[in-house]
């Protein structure tokens, strides 16, 4: 039952009617927060990698950044093909979604630690990292990228939850359009805001230039708090699929 069953099969709900459904409203807010975090990560990861080590970055060349992003794509494919189906068959989509959202604060909190490894392993004579530090750094980068890819899994889970919580194709289509608008708004605002905060953190040495990290951790935690209603409000994705 619920408000989403009150629409006639061929009736297209208005935006106000859709937002009045608690689960759709929660998913819409969460879709914005998710896309904001994901878009910010894409920008901040590249800026962080490119920034010199003494300025609290990793001093990577463009080709090294490309290598890291290619590795990230490989990790993403493995997760989508092998891990997502197992998760969705065993765990409620709403619980899996909240778990994915909870990875974003971890991702942004871990990134400054990569610079700590780089600074401590930097050999002054060569300007490069020693072997052990380099291995540790790449292990850390793989961890950050892998955890971010788990966070990105929430994109497809948001769509699954929207479908599970809409009673007919018309409501689903309109709801999906609303989710897309929320994501597009985040995609427009997030990169500009994230890069501006990164530049300001560096210029004014805010929080040891890691203010951008603190801001995104706080935003990620806020997104988790805002999304906590999704699980209790949502219909069972497992039951929905069986029907």
């Amino acid at each position: 039952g619920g408000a989403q069953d009150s629409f006639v099969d061929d009736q297209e709900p208005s935006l106000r009617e859709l937002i009045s459904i608690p689960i759709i409203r929660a998913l819409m807010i969460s879709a914005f927060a998710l896309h904001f975090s994901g878009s910010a990560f894409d920008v901040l990861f590249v800026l962080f990698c490119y920034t010199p080590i003494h300025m609290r970055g990793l001093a990577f060349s463009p080709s090294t950044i490309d290598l890291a992003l290619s590795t990230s794509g490989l990790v993403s494919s493995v997760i989508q093909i092998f891990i997502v189906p197992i998760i969705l068959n065993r765990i409620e989509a709403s619980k899996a979604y909240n778990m994915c959202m909870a990875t974003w604060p971890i991702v942004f909190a871990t990134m400054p630690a990569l610079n700590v490894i780089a600074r401590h392993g930097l050999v002054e004579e060569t300007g490069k990292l020693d072997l052990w530090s380099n291995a540790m750094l790449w292990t850390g980068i793989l961890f950050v990228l892998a955890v971010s890819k788990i966070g990105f899994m929430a994109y497809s889970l948001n769509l699954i939850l929207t479908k599970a919580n809409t009673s007919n194709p018309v409501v689903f289509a309109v709801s999906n359009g609303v989710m897309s608008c929320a994501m597009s708004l985040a995609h427009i605002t997030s990169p500009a805001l994230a890069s501006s905060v990164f530049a300001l953190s560096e210029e004014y040495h805010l929080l040891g230039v890691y203010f951008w990290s603190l801001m995104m951790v706080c935003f990620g935690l806020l997104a988790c708090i805002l999304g906590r209603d999704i699980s209790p409000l949502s219909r069972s994705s497992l039951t929905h699929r069986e029907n």
Side-chain angles (χ1 to χ4, degrees), residues 18-178:
L18 272 181
I19 293 173
S20 71
I21 304 170
I23 181 62
I24 299 298
R25 185 170 62 246
L27 282 168
M28 186 179 69
I29 293 167
S30 193
F32 174 86
L34 164 65
H35 215 83
F36 192 95
S37 295
S39 299
F41 174 75
D42 287 340
V43 170
L44 290 170
F45 182 76
V46 173
L47 287 173
F48 176 67
C49 285
Y50 198 71
T51 302
I53 292 174
H54 72 276
M55 292 174 74
R56 304 296 190 265
L58 298 181
F60 279 0
S61 65
S63 58
T64 310
I65 296 171
D66 283 344
L67 175 65
L69 294 175
S70 304
T71 309
S72 162
L74 185 64
V75 170
S76 180
S77 301
V78 170
I79 289 172
Q80 288 290 343
I81 296 166
F82 297 107
I83 299 174
V84 173
I86 296 168
I87 289 173
L88 289 179
N89 281 326
R90 298 187 182 186
I91 307 173
E92 278 289 340
S94 57
K95 288 189 175 66
Y97 183 79
N98 285 334
M99 283 162 56
C100 291
M101 289 298 287
T103 62
W104 287 112
I106 297 167
V107 167
F108 290 113
T110 308
M111 285 172 73
L114 300 177
N115 172 258
V116 175
I117 295 168
R119 269 186 293 144
H120 282 84
L122 191 65
V123 180
E124 291 294 336
E125 294 79 31
T126 61
K128 295 187 176 177
L129 301 192
D130 63 59
L131 197 63
W132 172 243
S133 297
N134 205 36
M136 277 184 67
L137 179 62
W138 277 96
T139 303
I141 287 168
L142 284 174
F143 172 80
V144 165
L145 291 173
V147 175
S148 77
K149 289 306 169 189
I150 294 169
F152 279 116
M153 272 170 50
Y155 286 118
S156 49
L157 290 169
N158 189 285
L159 184 67
I160 289 166
L161 286 168
T162 305
K163 193 167 185 357
N165 287 285
T166 46
S167 51
N168 64 64
V170 176
V171 179
F172 171 64
V174 179
S175 299
N176 198 34
V178 170

Side-chain angles (χ1 to χ4, degrees), residues 186-201:
H187 193 65
I188 293 164
T189 55
S190 176
L193 186 63
S195 54
S196 298
V197 171
F198 187 91
L200 288 170
S201 301

